[in-house]
Amino acid sequence: MVQAKPHLPSLTENLQQLSPSGSQQIIQFNHPEKYRTSEWYTGHGEIAASGDGRSFEISATYALKAEVKLVDGVFEPSNLTLAEVYNPRGRCVAIVDQTVDELYGESLRSYFEYHEIPLKLLACRAWESDKTPETVHRLLQFLGKDGCDVSRNEPVLVVGGGVLSDVAGLACALQHRRTPYIMVGTTVVAAIDAGPSPRTCTNGSQFKNSIGAYHPPVLTLVDRNFFGTLATGHVRNGMAEIIKMAVTDDPTLFELMEQYGSQLLETHFATLDADEKLGEIADEVIYRALFSYMKHEGTNMFETYQDRPHAYGHTWSPRFEPAAKLMHGHSVTIGMAFGASLAVEMGWLKLEERDRIIDLCRSVGLSVYHPILEDIDLMLEGQKNMRCKRGEQGLWAPLPKGIGSCDYAQEVSSGLLQTAVENHKQLCSSLPDHGKGKEIYLSDLGLE
Ligand SMILES: NC(=O)c1ccc[n+]([C@@H]2O[C@H](COP(=O)([O-])OP(=O)(O)OC[C@H]3O[C@@H](n4cnc5c(N)ncnc54)[C@H](O)[C@@H]3O)[C@@H](O)[C@H]2O)c1
């Protein structure tokens, strides 16, 4: 017997059900908790039918819970932070910077053995020259079906510096379109900036960090004990990102850096031969830099808005950093010092405030000048790239307005750019080393 086909309502009938009168109707969707894919992500949405049976509009919100924590001895067996995450899941899948694995791999493995948590670990070389789509692809092979086959609710543990956090974060963003990860930043840059950042990426052919996804770690653990084994040049490099937040957002942090910056550099944030008081200062500096950064970055996760103080020093530098093969931190301070001179030119900053910014960068050996600034065509190209990246409305270049606050320059004409470069060059030519700084160039090991 042939059964009559069940009547399937047409789209128009469906919409008529939603909107029997033909008028607009809005339905809100709050999905029940029991259907949640992952404990860190939620979302809701609404669908609004126009009522004509031909169109509707959808708006959806995605919400993330991310935590940032200062910890002491993350791989000490008595520290339960990681064990509490991975014990219920029955294993830990980890991607670890190769150098960090050589230095801390034994304590990491002992930690998981002690807590009887099986560990699947990939050690990954993460030099700046490894920040490529090929590295991301290799990490995806480790995470995917032919590797560990991570689940969509299984947070991958990522342990390393800024290069690793960028590429491994991107691999996690791509795996299952979104796999959570926990970040343990082992360099100053990764601890206070790249690690908790939602901006995961790899380098493109011309422009740094140009391919990526917004995917912050669900948990960032900051343990400054790792800084003890860092090369001093990398400690210095990371201080650039702290100074960035101090200048644009936190005058107390600026004063702390003026007072203690060089001691923090010498002692690698009080991990080498330092007293307890400096340890407390180190924690306060790290906490303030992180809080200030995440207040702006963490709450504006998709760069939906361009009032981003943490982009100070990052407007022209993404173009000149790879061209001059500079360490990231030095390239940022050259960008910040130039930005301070430009802000003076624009009447936003007093001369003595510009000098305090330049003196602070120099007190820890960071560069404030490089001849590449004189390549005006390159600088204008950088501006063009940035305008495209930040949206067509303006350049949105954060520049200081006093110490601890900033505003955003929308237009910087080539004439103004040239004048600011000339004045900045003149200022820096009077400095003993012409503003060069220490250990400024990249090598495969990240230092000249
Ligand atoms: N996504 C973002 O928001 C963001 C922000 C800032 C910087 N970044 C990126 O971060 C990168 C720079 O990061 P970085 O400065 O951490 O450099 P890095 O990751 O290259 O690490 C520096 C070197 O230190 C080694 N290392 C790491 N931890 C160590 C430890 N505890 N002891 C000894 N050696 C250690 C690494 O193997 C590497 O050789 C750049 O590519 C930059 O673009 C991204």
Side-chain angles (χ1 to χ4, degrees):
M1 200 173 92
V2 181
Q3 279 195 335
K5 273 193 185 165
H7 171 73
L8 293 175
S10 69
L11 178 65
T12 318
E13 281 170 325
N14 263 333
L15 286 174
Q16 277 165 354
Q17 272 178 20
L18 298 176
S19 175
S21 62
S23 59
Q24 194 196 34
Q25 183 167 8
I26 298 173
I27 297 182
Q28 290 190 339
F29 256 86
N30 286 313
H31 299 272
E33 274 299 296
K34 64 179 180 176
Y35 296 131
R36 238 161 108 168
T37 317
S38 158
E39 67 198 73
W40 293 286
Y41 311 121
T42 54
H44 62 269
E46 63 177 41
I47 183 162
S50 61
D52 63 0
R54 297 183 67 83
S55 64
F56 50 87
E57 238 178 51
I58 292 159
S59 35
T61 312
Y62 152 75
L64 156 80
K65 223 177 186 39
E67 200 181 353
V68 179
K69 259 187 190 170
L70 266 63
V71 291
D72 190 15
V74 70
F75 299 141
E76 291 290 328
S78 57
N79 188 325
L80 298 181
T81 316
L82 290 173
E84 279 169 0
V85 176
Y86 290 106
N87 227 331
R89 291 177 167 85
R91 70 164 180 176
C92 170
V93 172
I95 300 173
V96 181
D97 176 299
Q98 188 178 284
T99 310
V100 174
D101 189 38
E102 283 158 20
L103 293 165
Y104 299 96
E106 212 178 298
S107 48
L108 189 157
R109 284 173 182 81
S110 309
Y111 179 89
F112 285 98
E113 264 167 38
Y114 178 87
H115 289 286
E116 298 178 353
I117 301 169
L119 176 70
K120 292 252 183 205
L121 184 149
L122 176 76
C124 173
R125 202 185 74 172
W127 298 348
E128 189 63 39
S129 55
D130 296 316
K131 202 166 162 184
T132 60
E134 290 72 32
T135 304
V136 177
H137 195 246
R138 211 154 22 86
L139 297 178
L140 284 169
Q141 283 173 336
F142 172 68
L143 299 177
K145 276 261 174 283
D146 297 330
C148 302
D149 197 13
V150 290
S151 113
R152 219 181 201 169
N153 188 24
E154 182 175 6
V156 175
L157 179 64
V158 178
V159 187
V163 169
L164 191 77
S165 71
D166 278 356
V167 287
L170 179 57
C172 290
L174 296 172
Q175 182 63 30
H176 296 305
R177 300 190 184 84
R178 177 174 300 125
T179 297
Y181 65 106
I182 290 176
M183 185 68 215
V184 177
T186 60
T187 62
V188 179
V189 169
I192 54 105
D193 195 289
S197 166
R199 288 171 301 120
T200 69
C201 57
T202 171
N203 289 338
S205 56
Q206 261 212 335
F207 201 43
K208 244 184 91 67
N209 303 339
S210 56
I211 305 166
Y214 296 105
H215 187 44
V218 292
L219 173 64
T220 304
L221 298 174
V222 176
D223 181 350
R224 69 181 156 82
N225 293 301
F226 288 110
F227 305 164
T229 51
L230 266 184
T232 302
H234 282 300
V235 179
R236 175 183 298 116
N237 188 52
M239 285 184 155
E241 308 285 8
I242 296 176
I243 296 174
K244 165 185 91 176
M245 294 322 304
V247 173
T248 56
D249 194 65
D250 185 345
T252 305
L253 179 59
F254 193 95
E255 281 164 20
L256 282 169
M257 285 299 285
E258 282 184 318
Q259 201 176 343
Y260 297 103
S262 55
Q263 278 183 68
L264 292 174
L265 175 70
E266 270 162 37
T267 62
H268 291 206
F269 283 78
T271 55
L272 311 174
D273 194 21
D275 59 28
E276 209 176 300
K277 177 165 181 263
L278 194 64
E280 285 165 17
I281 301 284
D283 281 341
E284 183 175 353
V285 164
I286 291 168
Y287 180 80
R288 280 185 170 274
L290 264 168
F291 188 85
S292 187
Y293 174 65
M294 289 305 281
K295 180 175 76 183
H296 296 282
E297 179 77 324
T299 57
N300 180 23
M301 210 179 65
F302 296 103
E303 293 183 61
T304 324
Y305 301 94
Q306 284 301 331
D307 50 337
R308 303 174 65 247
H310 43 290
Y312 176 44
H314 292 70
T315 297
W316 295 273
S317 67
R319 185 64 191 94
F320 67 65
E321 179 179 329
K325 298 196 169 27
L326 288 162
M327 296 267 293
H328 182 67
H330 288 277
S331 134
V332 167
T333 48
I334 292 165
M336 291 199 292
F338 165 67
S341 286
L342 179 60
V344 167
E345 215 59 51
M346 293 169 65
W348 288 12
L349 196 67
K350 294 187 193 128
L351 284 176
E352 55 272 26
E353 291 166 334
R354 175 203 63 188
D355 292 346
R356 271 179 83 188
I357 295 170
I358 289 182
D359 287 350
L360 176 56
C361 295
R362 287 180 51 73
S363 71
V364 290
L366 284 160
S367 319
V368 291
Y369 189 76
H370 191 282
I372 199 154
L373 290 176
E374 294 161 49
D375 185 341
I376 297 295
D377 286 343
L378 187 95
M379 295 285 279
L380 288 170
E381 208 186 303
Q383 262 185 219
K384 189 169 158 242
N385 290 343
M386 211 33 88
R387 192 179 284 276
C388 173
K389 189 177 164 204
R390 292 180 183 161
E392 292 297 315
Q393 288 168 349
L395 183 60
W396 298 107
L399 296 175
K401 265 199 158 170
I403 300 291
S405 73
C406 70
D407 204 343
Y408 304 89
Q410 297 302 339
E411 285 299 334
V412 180
S413 68
S414 63
L416 175 59
L417 191 75
Q418 200 142 9
T419 309
V421 168
E422 273 162 25
N423 290 346
H424 188 61
K425 181 183 177 183
Q426 206 176 2
L427 169 76
C428 294
S429 63
S430 64
L431 300 172
D433 59 355
H434 294 223
K436 184 172 181 255
K438 293 185 182 147
E439 299 178 292
I440 74 171
Y441 291 110
L442 270 176
S443 75
D444 273 349
L445 286 172
L447 289 172
E448 65 187 346

